[in-house]
Amino acid sequence: MAETPRPKRKREEEEKEAASHDGAVATAAAPPFPLAELRVRRVLRESARDKAVFLHGEVTGPSGEVMNAVVLLEKTPFQEEKISELLKKHMKLELQMRNDIYSTYHLYPPPELSELKATVVYPATEKHLQKYLRQEVHLVRETWEDYRNITLPFIQSQSFSIQWVYNILEKKAEADRIIHENPDPCNGFVLVPDFKWNQNQLDDLYLIALVHRRDIKSLRDLTAEHLPLLRNVLQEGKEAVVKRFGVPGSQLRIYLHYQPSYYHLHVHFTALSYDAPGSSVERAHLLADVIDNLAMDAAYYQKRALTFPLRADEPLLKRFQEAGTL
Ligand code: M7G
């Protein structure tokens, strides 16, 4: 596991704490994915702004079968404390152009300071390939009746496997990464770093709270019965983040996605200053607002229409089109 990033204040204290996590290693005993053997089939998406590329590739399995993989390569944010090292230890500096007081260079950092983050989904299903493929997007406005008649039957037949969630809850994976746990089977949850975050810097802090209960698919299922659980996630989640990372609750965006990709209730915790993917108004619902809405009306999310984006080729969009609701 990467070293826990240190908040700007309380460095000494944090260093001591970080040291206690240094020994942690990834739980997966499986060998690393054979990246060098990946045959790239196509670029699913590429983003100059995010400095990221999503690849669809193939690898040959042990018995000769061809298996799909999605590989995301992305440049990681700068770590403030490593910048002077990077400037001192660069391997090469090539002048690109000079004009008056302006000049640009190609700077080649040493390998240990030029890390890329690689995220691998293997074996990847057709749904993973679709999830990462750049697509035109449409907004859908779903009434409660639409949810019951169109969305619910669809997600019951189609949703992504949530085995990774159960692995975390049962400590079969990522156990060493747990930031906080409330073990109560009804009102408890586990808070872990999201796999989008490499934990090297706080600028893109991203954690995910997974509830222990397995019967809540999404925002749509929430009622006043779930208020104690949601309040625990909000309160204890904020306390755990300030304790471990020094980031106060006032600088966290804590929200649920609707629609989520994985239908087991979870809550996203991101740094407020980070423009996290999926944090825009058409997908993110602030947990504090969700709690207030349920406190005012126990069946709020079984009454109101909800808007969300769907990619052009998503089968759910087709179902809405066929039902004539778009
Ligand atoms: P979502 O709202 O269901 O879908 O969020 P999204 O992926 O479209 O945002 C699920 C969240 O879980 C995302 O932020 C993922 O990055 C994160 N996530 C997904 N997987 C498979 C893992 C995993 O294996 N470990 C961890 N720690 N996070 C994951």
Side-chain angles (χ1 to χ4, degrees), residues 143-179:
T143 62
W144 170 248
E145 288 68 36
D146 293 336
Y147 173 72
R148 255 195 356 224
N149 300 330
I150 305 172
T151 312
L152 182 60
F154 176 78
I155 58 183
Q156 280 167 340
S157 66
Q158 296 275 321
S159 64
F160 264 5
S161 160
I162 46 176
Q163 190 54 48
W164 68 272
V165 175
Y166 297 153
N167 287 346
I168 292 175
L169 296 177
E170 292 166 16
K171 319 283 167 15
K172 291 180 182 158
E174 305 188 42
D176 55 313
R177 289 159 50 93
I178 293 176
I179 303 296

Coordinates of all heavy atoms in Angstrom, one line a residue, residues 143-179:
T143 N -39.5 8.6 -13.1 CA -40.5 8.7 -12.0 C -40.4 7.4 -11.2 O -39.8 6.4 -11.6 CB -41.9 8.8 -12.6 OG1 -42.2 7.6 -13.3 CG2 -42.1 10.0 -13.5
W144 N -41.1 7.4 -10.1 CA -41.2 6.2 -9.2 C -41.7 5.0 -10.0 O -41.3 3.9 -10.0 CB -41.9 6.4 -7.9 CG -42.2 5.2 -7.1 CD1 -43.4 4.6 -6.9 CD2 -41.2 4.3 -6.5 NE1 -43.2 3.4 -6.2 CE2 -41.9 3.2 -5.9 CE3 -39.8 4.4 -6.4 CZ2 -41.2 2.2 -5.2 CZ3 -39.2 3.4 -5.7 CH2 -39.9 2.3 -5.1
E145 N -42.8 5.3 -10.8 CA -43.4 4.2 -11.6 C -42.4 3.7 -12.7 O -42.3 2.5 -12.9 CB -44.7 4.7 -12.3 CG -45.9 5.0 -11.4 CD -45.7 6.1 -10.5 OE1 -45.0 7.1 -10.8 OE2 -46.1 6.0 -9.3
D146 N -41.6 4.6 -13.3 CA -40.6 4.2 -14.2 C -39.6 3.3 -13.5 O -39.1 2.3 -14.1 CB -39.8 5.4 -14.8 CG -40.6 6.3 -15.7 OD1 -41.6 5.8 -16.2 OD2 -40.3 7.5 -15.8
Y147 N -39.2 3.7 -12.3 CA -38.3 2.8 -11.5 C -38.8 1.4 -11.4 O -38.1 0.4 -11.7 CB -38.0 3.5 -10.2 CG -37.1 2.6 -9.3 CD1 -35.8 2.4 -9.6 CD2 -37.6 1.9 -8.2 CE1 -35.0 1.5 -8.9 CE2 -36.9 1.0 -7.5 CZ -35.5 0.8 -7.8 OH -34.7 0.0 -7.1
R148 N -40.1 1.3 -10.9 CA -40.7 0.0 -10.7 C -40.9 -0.8 -11.9 O -40.6 -2.0 -12.0 CB -42.0 0.2 -10.0 CG -42.0 -0.1 -8.5 CD -43.4 -0.3 -8.0 NE -44.4 0.0 -8.9 CZ -45.5 0.7 -8.7 NH1 -45.7 1.2 -7.5 NH2 -46.4 0.9 -9.6
N149 N -41.3 -0.1 -13.0 CA -41.6 -0.8 -14.2 C -40.5 -1.0 -15.2 O -40.5 -2.0 -16.0 CB -42.7 -0.1 -15.0 CG -44.0 0.0 -14.1 OD1 -44.2 -0.8 -13.3 ND2 -44.7 1.1 -14.3
I150 N -39.5 -0.1 -15.2 CA -38.4 -0.2 -16.2 C -37.1 -0.5 -15.5 O -36.4 -1.5 -15.8 CB -38.3 1.1 -17.0 CG1 -39.6 1.5 -17.6 CG2 -37.2 1.0 -18.0 CD1 -39.7 2.9 -18.2
T151 N -36.7 0.4 -14.6 CA -35.3 0.3 -14.0 C -35.1 -0.9 -13.1 O -34.1 -1.7 -13.3 CB -34.9 1.6 -13.2 OG1 -35.3 2.7 -14.0 CG2 -33.5 1.6 -12.9
L152 N -36.0 -1.2 -12.2 CA -35.8 -2.3 -11.2 C -35.7 -3.6 -11.9 O -34.8 -4.4 -11.7 CB -36.9 -2.2 -10.2 CG -36.8 -3.3 -9.1 CD1 -35.5 -3.2 -8.3 CD2 -38.0 -3.2 -8.1
P153 N -36.7 -3.9 -12.8 CA -36.6 -5.2 -13.5 C -35.2 -5.3 -14.3 O -34.6 -6.4 -14.4 CB -37.7 -5.3 -14.5 CG -38.7 -4.2 -14.0 CD -37.9 -3.2 -13.2
F154 N -34.8 -4.2 -14.8 CA -33.6 -4.2 -15.6 C -32.4 -4.5 -14.7 O -31.6 -5.3 -15.0 CB -33.4 -2.8 -16.3 CG -32.1 -2.8 -17.1 CD1 -32.0 -3.4 -18.3 CD2 -31.0 -2.1 -16.5 CE1 -30.7 -3.4 -18.9 CE2 -29.8 -2.1 -17.2 CZ -29.7 -2.7 -18.4
I155 N -32.3 -3.7 -13.6 CA -31.1 -4.0 -12.7 C -31.1 -5.3 -12.1 O -30.0 -5.9 -11.9 CB -30.8 -2.8 -11.7 CG1 -32.0 -2.7 -10.7 CG2 -30.5 -1.5 -12.3 CD1 -31.8 -1.6 -9.7
Q156 N -32.3 -5.9 -11.9 CA -32.3 -7.2 -11.3 C -31.8 -8.3 -12.3 O -31.2 -9.3 -11.9 CB -33.8 -7.6 -10.9 CG -34.1 -7.0 -9.6 CD -35.6 -7.0 -9.2 OE1 -36.4 -7.2 -10.1 NE2 -35.9 -6.8 -8.0
S157 N -31.9 -8.0 -13.6 CA -31.4 -8.9 -14.6 C -30.0 -8.6 -15.0 O -29.3 -9.5 -15.5 CB -32.3 -8.9 -15.8 OG -32.2 -7.7 -16.4
Q158 N -29.5 -7.4 -14.8 CA -28.3 -7.0 -15.5 C -27.1 -6.6 -14.6 O -26.0 -6.5 -15.1 CB -28.6 -5.8 -16.4 CG -29.5 -6.0 -17.5 CD -28.8 -6.6 -18.7 OE1 -27.7 -6.1 -19.0 NE2 -29.4 -7.5 -19.4
S159 N -27.3 -6.3 -13.3 CA -26.3 -5.5 -12.6 C -24.9 -6.1 -12.6 O -24.8 -7.4 -12.6 CB -26.8 -5.1 -11.2 OG -26.9 -6.3 -10.5
F160 N -23.9 -5.3 -12.4 CA -22.5 -5.7 -12.2 C -22.4 -6.6 -11.0 O -23.1 -6.5 -10.0 CB -21.7 -4.5 -11.9 CG -21.0 -3.9 -13.1 CD1 -21.2 -4.3 -14.4 CD2 -20.1 -2.8 -12.9 CE1 -20.6 -3.7 -15.4 CE2 -19.5 -2.2 -13.9 CZ -19.7 -2.7 -15.2
S161 N -21.4 -7.6 -11.1 CA -21.1 -8.4 -9.9 C -20.6 -7.5 -8.8 O -19.8 -6.6 -9.0 CB -20.1 -9.4 -10.3 OG -19.5 -9.9 -9.1
I162 N -21.1 -7.7 -7.5 CA -20.6 -6.9 -6.4 C -19.8 -7.8 -5.5 O -19.7 -7.5 -4.3 CB -21.8 -6.2 -5.7 CG1 -23.0 -7.2 -5.4 CG2 -22.3 -5.0 -6.4 CD1 -24.1 -6.6 -4.6
Q163 N -19.2 -8.8 -6.0 CA -18.3 -9.7 -5.2 C -17.2 -8.8 -4.5 O -16.8 -9.1 -3.4 CB -17.7 -10.7 -6.1 CG -16.9 -11.8 -5.4 CD -17.8 -12.5 -4.3 OE1 -18.9 -12.8 -4.5 NE2 -17.3 -12.6 -3.1
W164 N -16.7 -7.8 -5.3 CA -15.6 -7.0 -4.7 C -16.0 -6.3 -3.4 O -15.2 -6.2 -2.4 CB -15.0 -6.0 -5.7 CG -15.9 -4.9 -6.1 CD1 -16.9 -4.9 -7.1 CD2 -16.0 -3.6 -5.4 NE1 -17.5 -3.7 -7.1 CE2 -17.0 -2.9 -6.1 CE3 -15.4 -3.0 -4.4 CZ2 -17.4 -1.6 -5.8 CZ3 -15.8 -1.7 -4.0 CH2 -16.8 -1.0 -4.7
V165 N -17.3 -6.0 -3.3 CA -17.9 -5.3 -2.1 C -17.9 -6.3 -1.0 O -17.4 -6.0 0.1 CB -19.3 -4.8 -2.4 CG1 -19.9 -4.2 -1.1 CG2 -19.3 -3.7 -3.5
Y166 N -18.4 -7.5 -1.3 CA -18.5 -8.6 -0.2 C -17.1 -8.9 0.2 O -16.9 -9.2 1.4 CB -19.2 -9.8 -0.8 CG -20.7 -9.5 -1.1 CD1 -21.4 -10.3 -2.1 CD2 -21.4 -8.5 -0.5 CE1 -22.7 -10.0 -2.4 CE2 -22.7 -8.2 -0.9 CZ -23.4 -9.0 -1.8 OH -24.7 -8.8 -2.1
N167 N -16.1 -8.9 -0.7 CA -14.8 -9.3 -0.3 C -14.2 -8.3 0.8 O -13.6 -8.6 1.7 CB -13.8 -9.3 -1.5 CG -14.0 -10.5 -2.4 OD1 -14.7 -11.4 -2.0 ND2 -13.5 -10.4 -3.6
I168 N -14.6 -7.0 0.5 CA -14.1 -5.9 1.5 C -14.9 -6.1 2.8 O -14.3 -6.2 3.9 CB -14.4 -4.5 0.9 CG1 -13.4 -4.3 -0.2 CG2 -14.2 -3.5 2.0 CD1 -13.7 -3.0 -1.0
L169 N -16.2 -6.3 2.8 CA -17.0 -6.5 4.0 C -16.6 -7.7 4.8 O -16.6 -7.7 6.0 CB -18.5 -6.5 3.7 CG -19.1 -5.3 3.0 CD1 -20.5 -5.5 2.7 CD2 -18.9 -4.0 3.9
E170 N -16.2 -8.7 4.1 CA -15.8 -10.0 4.8 C -14.3 -10.1 5.0 O -13.7 -11.1 5.4 CB -16.2 -11.2 3.9 CG -17.7 -11.3 3.9 CD -18.2 -12.3 2.8 OE1 -17.3 -13.1 2.2 OE2 -19.3 -12.3 2.4
K171 N -13.5 -9.0 4.8 CA -12.1 -8.9 5.0 C -11.3 -9.9 4.1 O -10.2 -10.3 4.5 CB -11.7 -9.1 6.5 CG -12.6 -8.4 7.4 CD -12.4 -6.9 7.5 CE -13.4 -6.1 8.2 NZ -14.4 -6.6 9.0
K172 N -11.9 -10.2 3.0 CA -11.1 -11.1 2.1 C -10.2 -10.3 1.1 O -9.4 -10.9 0.4 CB -12.1 -12.0 1.3 CG -12.8 -13.0 2.1 CD -13.8 -13.8 1.3 CE -14.5 -14.8 2.2 NZ -15.8 -15.2 1.5
A173 N -10.5 -9.0 1.0 CA -9.7 -8.2 0.2 C -9.6 -6.8 0.8 O -10.6 -6.4 1.5 CB -10.2 -8.1 -1.2
E174 N -8.5 -6.1 0.6 CA -8.3 -4.7 1.1 C -8.5 -4.5 2.6 O -8.7 -3.4 3.1 CB -9.3 -3.8 0.3 CG -9.2 -3.9 -1.2 CD -10.0 -2.8 -1.9 OE1 -10.0 -1.7 -1.5 OE2 -10.7 -3.2 -2.9
A175 N -8.4 -5.6 3.3 CA -8.6 -5.5 4.8 C -7.5 -4.6 5.4 O -7.9 -3.8 6.4 CB -8.5 -6.9 5.4
D176 N -6.3 -4.6 4.9 CA -5.3 -3.7 5.4 C -5.5 -2.2 5.1 O -4.8 -1.4 5.6 CB -3.9 -4.2 4.9 CG -3.9 -4.2 3.4 OD1 -4.9 -4.8 2.8 OD2 -3.0 -3.6 2.8
R177 N -6.5 -2.0 4.2 CA -6.7 -0.6 3.8 C -7.8 0.1 4.5 O -8.1 1.3 4.3 CB -7.0 -0.6 2.3 CG -5.8 -0.9 1.4 CD -6.2 -1.4 0.0 NE -7.2 -0.6 -0.7 CZ -6.9 0.4 -1.6 NH1 -5.6 0.7 -1.8 NH2 -7.8 1.1 -2.2
I178 N -8.5 -0.7 5.4 CA -9.7 -0.1 6.1 C -9.3 1.1 6.9 O -8.4 1.0 7.7 CB -10.4 -1.2 6.9 CG1 -11.0 -2.3 6.0 CG2 -11.5 -0.6 7.8 CD1 -11.6 -3.5 6.7
I179 N -10.1 2.2 6.7 CA -9.8 3.4 7.5 C -10.7 3.4 8.7 O -10.3 3.9 9.8 CB -10.2 4.6 6.6 CG1 -9.4 4.6 5.3 CG2 -10.0 6.0 7.3 CD1 -7.9 4.7 5.4

